[in-house]
Structure formats: structure tokens, C-alpha cells
Amino acid sequence: MTPLQEIISKFQELVAQVPEIFQPFIVMLAGAIPFVEGEVAALIGLLGGLNPVVAGVVAAAGNFISVLLVVLLTSRARTAVVTRNRVRVGATVGAAAPGGHPEAESAFEQTAPAKPLSKGRQRLNTWIVRFGVPGASILGPFAIPTQLTSAILVAGGTSRAWVLLWQAVAIVLWTTISTVSIWAALTYLVGA
């Protein structure tokens, strides 16, 4: 037995201590974690001895549920901010400034300078401009987690339904590719 086969065997023994009914839920929870997502969660499920189809489906479901929650929270936050800013700007238009000048400054002109964008965020912004929401959703996992990609898209004003549709396509695509690849590698290369 090779060292890799030994590690897999020990991991499967550890997973066997968890009741079978809870094993898919553990994989689903792993899929909900940013940077782990469906791809690594499917690996955990396959290494744990789950059927490849079950591992892929529950990993993708966990990832999508977390994206759904992020989209709903981000959408509500964006609505609150946009509504608040409209009220604040509406209150300052036509109002006299403290010095008596009719040109009141808007709240947008008094913001602090923005932090520089991270490398992943710059890459995602380039993909959004070049390929739109479908391209950013499908290519986004190369730069940042799907949860962050969906939050950025919704915060930028993209429709929740459009973001959820393309995030679902991306999650299913990448989880399927990774599950099939991992299953093939474990079956044909490792012999586990």
C-alpha cells in the first residue's frame, strides 16, 4: 500500500465513525465555506467514501446555498444604502450650506479615499468588463470565491436572479469537472 493509499484509508476510517446519514451534510457544510467551495468539498466526500454523484451534488448544493444567502444579504444591504443615500442627497439639494451658500455638498463628495483593490478583485473587475456577469461568474473562481464574486456583482447593481443563475451554472460546471477529475484520479491513478 502506497503512502497516499494509506492516508486515504485512514481518512475513510475516520469518516466511517460518522453515521452515514450525516456524511453528506458534512460535505454540504464544507461546500458552504469560501475557498473550499464545491470543488474541495467534493474531494472531501470522495476521499471519505461517498458515491461520486452524491459527493458532487451535496458539495454543489452547499456552495449554492451559501451563495444564495450572500446574494440575499448583499441585496438587502445595497437597497438600504441606496435608499439612505437618496434620502440624504435629497435632503441636501437646495438646502443652505453652513456658510449660507446655496451650493450644498453632497454626501458622495465627502467620502474617504478608497483602498487599493486586491489582485483578485482587479482580475474580477477586468472579467466583468470584458465578459459580463456570465464570464465573471464562470471565471471568478480562479480569482476569488463564488461568495465574494456574487456579493460584488449584486453590490454593483446586477439583478439577483441573473447573478444566482450564472453562479449556479458556474458552481455546477466547476464542481462537476472537479468531481469527475478527482474520481478518475482516485480510481485509475491511486486505485483507491
Side-chain angles (χ1 to χ4, degrees), residues 79-93 107-108:
T79 301
V81 168
V82 168
T83 303
R84 180 172 169 243
N85 284 340
R86 282 186 188 152
V87 170
R88 188 184 322 168
V89 171
T92 61
V93 172
F108 296 113

Side-chain angles (χ1 to χ4, degrees), residues 30-45:
I33 299 170
F35 295 103
V36 173
E37 304 194 8
E39 296 83 6
V40 178
L43 170 67
I44 292 168

Side-chain angles (χ1 to χ4, degrees), residues 2-189:
T2 67
L4 185 58
Q5 288 173 330
E6 251 183 76
I7 291 170
I8 292 171
S9 175
K10 294 290 183 189
F11 184 71
Q12 288 175 342
E13 289 172 16
L14 177 67
V15 171
Q17 295 174 4
V18 177
E20 279 189 41
I21 192 87
F22 293 120
Q23 291 175 3
F25 292 112
I26 292 170
V27 174
M28 185 181 286
L29 288 174
I33 299 170
F35 295 103
V36 173
E37 304 194 8
E39 296 83 6
V40 178
L43 170 67
I44 292 168
L46 289 171
L47 289 177
L50 284 178
N51 179 306
V53 173
V54 172
V57 168
V58 297
N63 195 355
F64 184 75
I65 289 170
S66 69
V67 166
L68 175 66
L69 292 173
V70 167
V71 165
L72 293 176
L73 288 171
T74 305
S75 175
R76 289 180 65 92
R78 182 181 193 284
T79 301
V81 168
V82 168
T83 303
R84 180 172 169 243
N85 284 340
R86 282 186 188 152
V87 170
R88 188 184 322 168
V89 171
T92 61
V93 172
H101 299 287
E103 300 99 16
E105 292 184 51
S106 75
F108 296 113
E109 295 173 349
Q110 298 174 2
T111 59
K115 294 180 187 176
L117 297 177
S118 69
K119 187 186 271 186
R121 179 72 189 263
Q122 290 173 354
R123 195 174 307 147
L124 180 68
N125 285 345
T126 302
W127 290 337
I128 290 171
V129 169
R130 186 175 295 165
F131 304 114
V133 173
S137 295
I138 291 172
L139 298 174
F142 289 118
I144 56 177
T146 54
Q147 293 88 345
L148 295 177
T149 303
S150 61
I152 291 167
L153 291 171
V154 171
T158 306
S159 151
R160 286 185 303 192
W162 191 241
V163 171
L164 287 173
L165 169 71
W166 284 104
Q167 287 296 317
V169 168
I171 289 168
V172 168
L173 174 73
W174 291 118
T175 304
T176 301
I177 289 171
S178 65
T179 303
V180 170
S181 301
I182 294 163
W183 171 80
L186 288 175
T187 303
Y188 298 113
L189 299 178

